[in-house]
Amino acid sequence: MVDLPAFVSIREVGPRDGLQNEDPIPTDAKVRLLDALSATGVRRIEAVSFVHPKAIPQMADADEVWQRAVRADGVRYSALVPNTRGAQRALAAGFTEIEVVVSASDTHNRRNVNRSTDESLDDIAELIDLLHGASARVEVIVATSFGCPYEGDVDPARVAGIVDRVVRDGADRVAFGDTTGMGTPRRVRELLTAVRDRNAQVPVLLHFHNTRGTALANLLTALELGVTEFDASVGGLGGCPYAPGASGNLATEEVVHMLQDMGIDTGVDLAAMIEAAELAEELLGKKLPSGVLRAGPRTRLTPMPS
Amino acid sequence: MVDLPAFVSIREVGPRDGLQNEDPIPTDAKVRLLDALSATGVRRIEAVSFVHPKAIPQMADADEVWQRAVRADGVRYSALVPNTRGAQRALAAGFTEIEVVVSASDTHNRRNVNRSTDESLDDIAELIDLLHGASARVEVIVATSFGCPYEGDVDPARVAGIVDRVVRDGADRVAFGDTTGMGTPRRVRELLTAVRDRNAQVPVLLHFHNTRGTALANLLTALELGVTEFDASVGGLGGCPYAPGASGNLATEEVVHMLQDMGIDTGVDLAAMIEAAELAEELLGKKLPSGVLRAGPRTRLTPMPS
């Protein structure tokens, strides 16, 4: 077996990617969730996105949420922005780590932002300049990297070409999103191989969905290939609008639970993350799809039968 | 990366392990499910168990189910038995592949059958003799091999010792059950290493539960270690009585879906298996936890937006 890394860096995306795909909740509730997550030991949190409130009402109060949230020592907070206006708001709010998104699938990108992938990459080049000018770091998230719900398979060479382009344009990091859970260990291996053949040095983060049960197998494959950065969402918060009833984001506590038992440190206190997931269920008023949340960690024993 | 096997043998356990852990359904429904599964291309099916109807009313009609079911060419059918009476019934019904169970955890074994693990191993030695005398082959399933809900971790050396004993007593095959979903890739590796150090030749099958999301990661780890036989249950049929709300058996269509995309043949027609899972939902009158059943396979595209 290959050596696995000793430390994995998890970015908690529940407050942004999670809540953005759920029914809106009050500002107070968002702050409570963010503060609970900041106290779990997780090292990175995607806190909010600065998007148009008519497009995404769930994030209309992003400024207020971020202003009221506790900024924990040792936690890196980031924000997602779709355009110049969002970038300016994020910078004004004090963020120095910014995410922007483009979809590898042209159809998916057009459906999201009514522009081709290439047009979005032009926009992103300008955003990178703007953000670098304000000393912020920029991660480009490539959505539908493991498949598109409209087009089907996405050629890893196409994704690698997008990485070429954004690295040339100055991106500090790239992330690959398995937007509708089409990833499998084979797709993870093919994509990472294609990207690294051309850009071995760019820091890579993977974002898996558990729509078809493969998320932790995909993560394990990426670990074996040396990837040490992953997104995860507390409780599995955030569904997938294209697959009703399907689970969406990989649950943070499921990642931490598996890695912890494998001796891989994440900095996260598993009990605290499960409590944050319980809080998320309370705030959302619904059950979340996480198995570790339901069953408890493997160390939680059933009382001995009498 | 290590080479993965070209073929994986799945044993479909929905009709026995699955239905045994659900509310009872009519004999007709069981026969319909069994026949649907026989037509999926799966090569092995655990069809019924011959247990006392007061202990497990779900299997009270095992003889009739088996008598009425279509025996498909190319499918190996097996039955599970708890004792001599069950073994005699299975032999009388014509089964030549028989499973018996013992729990690696003494507490778990006592709770199930009110006997110690060692006492059950004595019983199993006699059962093997009886079954071999009738030319049947015997698989010993070691439950709680990756952890016990009462005792916690189970020492792989203890499981390996049980394998020593049953191999000495004539077992033809062994299976390791992750009864309450406590397995992780690390536990899979440790267990397989411990067992093979002492019994490299005995055929091994693994039975994972997806209670904490790790089932396909565990399966991938086992594949990398050369294991090619796995249990799975259509739709994820069969819960786990010790973890309310938690998903239980790994869904067959999730295994087939992932392996197929990795170029690993199982003989199973994925569409037919998903149809069988839909039938299982209809017959049970409830939703089953399988992601591939909910979302469809990754190749099932969303219509292009107009």
Side-chain angles (χ1 to χ4, degrees), chain B residues 42-75:
Chain B
V42 74
R43 307 288 172 84
R44 295 155 79 181
I45 299 178
E46 190 184 53
V48 291
S49 61
F50 292 99
V51 289
H52 198 288
K54 283 199 180 145
I56 301 179
Q58 291 94 331
M59 291 287 133
D61 53 359
D63 280 297
E64 188 183 350
V65 168
W66 179 237
Q67 205 163 26
R68 290 175 47 191
V70 172
R71 323 280 165 88
D73 285 345
V75 181

Side-chain angles (χ1 to χ4, degrees), chain B residues 152-165:
Chain B
D153 291 341
V154 169
D155 188 349
R158 178 173 167 86
V159 181
I162 291 170
V163 173
D164 280 350
R165 164 83 199 264

Side-chain angles (χ1 to χ4, degrees), chain A residues 49-81:
Chain A
S49 62
F50 293 99
V51 289
H52 197 291
K54 283 198 180 147
I56 301 178
Q58 292 92 333
M59 291 287 133
D61 53 358
D63 281 297
E64 188 183 350
V65 169
W66 179 236
Q67 205 162 28
R68 289 174 49 191
V70 173
R71 323 281 165 87
D73 286 344
V75 181
R76 291 160 52 193
Y77 298 92
S78 62
L80 184 137
V81 309

Side-chain angles (χ1 to χ4, degrees), chain A residues 102-116:
Chain A
V102 63
S103 186
S105 151
D106 216 61
T107 309
H108 192 263
N109 203 69
R110 286 182 192 278
R111 193 185 192 292
N112 274 356
V113 294
N114 204 26
R115 291 172 77 65
S116 71

Side-chain angles (χ1 to χ4, degrees), chain B residues 78-127:
Chain B
S78 63
L80 184 138
V81 308
N83 51 30
T84 304
R85 174 79 189 108
Q88 288 164 338
R89 287 176 63 199
L91 292 171
F95 282 96
T96 57
E97 293 198 41
I98 307 290
E99 287 108 41
V100 298
V101 182
V102 63
S103 186
S105 150
D106 217 61
T107 309
H108 191 264
N109 202 68
R110 285 181 192 280
R111 193 184 191 293
N112 274 355
V113 294
N114 204 26
R115 292 170 77 64
S116 71
T117 297
D118 281 341
E119 288 169 332
S120 281
L121 289 171
D122 291 341
D123 299 341
I124 284 172
E126 290 181 23
L127 279 174

Side-chain angles (χ1 to χ4, degrees), chain B residues 208-229:
Chain B
F208 293 120
H209 279 206
N210 203 24
T211 317
R212 295 172 180 87
T214 57
L216 287 178
N218 293 341
L219 186 144
L220 180 65
T221 301
L223 276 182
E224 292 177 352
L225 292 166
V227 175
T228 60
E229 302 186 33

Side-chain angles (χ1 to χ4, degrees), chain B residues 137-219:
Chain B
R137 290 194 294 171
V138 184
E139 174 179 297
V140 178
I141 301 172
V142 186
T144 67
S145 282
F146 302 91
C148 167
Y150 307 115
E151 296 184 4
D153 291 341
V154 169
D155 188 349
R158 178 173 167 86
V159 181
I162 291 170
V163 173
D164 280 350
R165 164 83 199 264
V166 301
V167 166
R168 209 162 54 230
D169 290 339
D172 300 289
R173 317 167 27 77
V174 293
F176 302 108
D178 186 14
T179 311
T180 58
M182 293 172 69
T184 67
R186 168 210 172 173
R187 306 283 163 183
V188 172
R189 187 171 306 129
E190 289 178 353
L191 179 66
L192 287 171
T193 304
V195 167
R196 286 173 172 169
D197 277 352
R198 292 154 69 164
N199 281 284
Q201 300 308 318
V202 64
V204 163
L205 177 146
L206 297 181
H207 176 114
F208 293 120
H209 279 206
N210 203 24
T211 317
R212 295 172 180 87
T214 57
L216 287 178
N218 293 341
L219 186 144

Side-chain angles (χ1 to χ4, degrees), chain A residues 236-253:
Chain A
L237 205 59
C240 166
Y242 305 110
S247 68
N249 278 313
L250 175 56
T252 313
E253 62 275 17

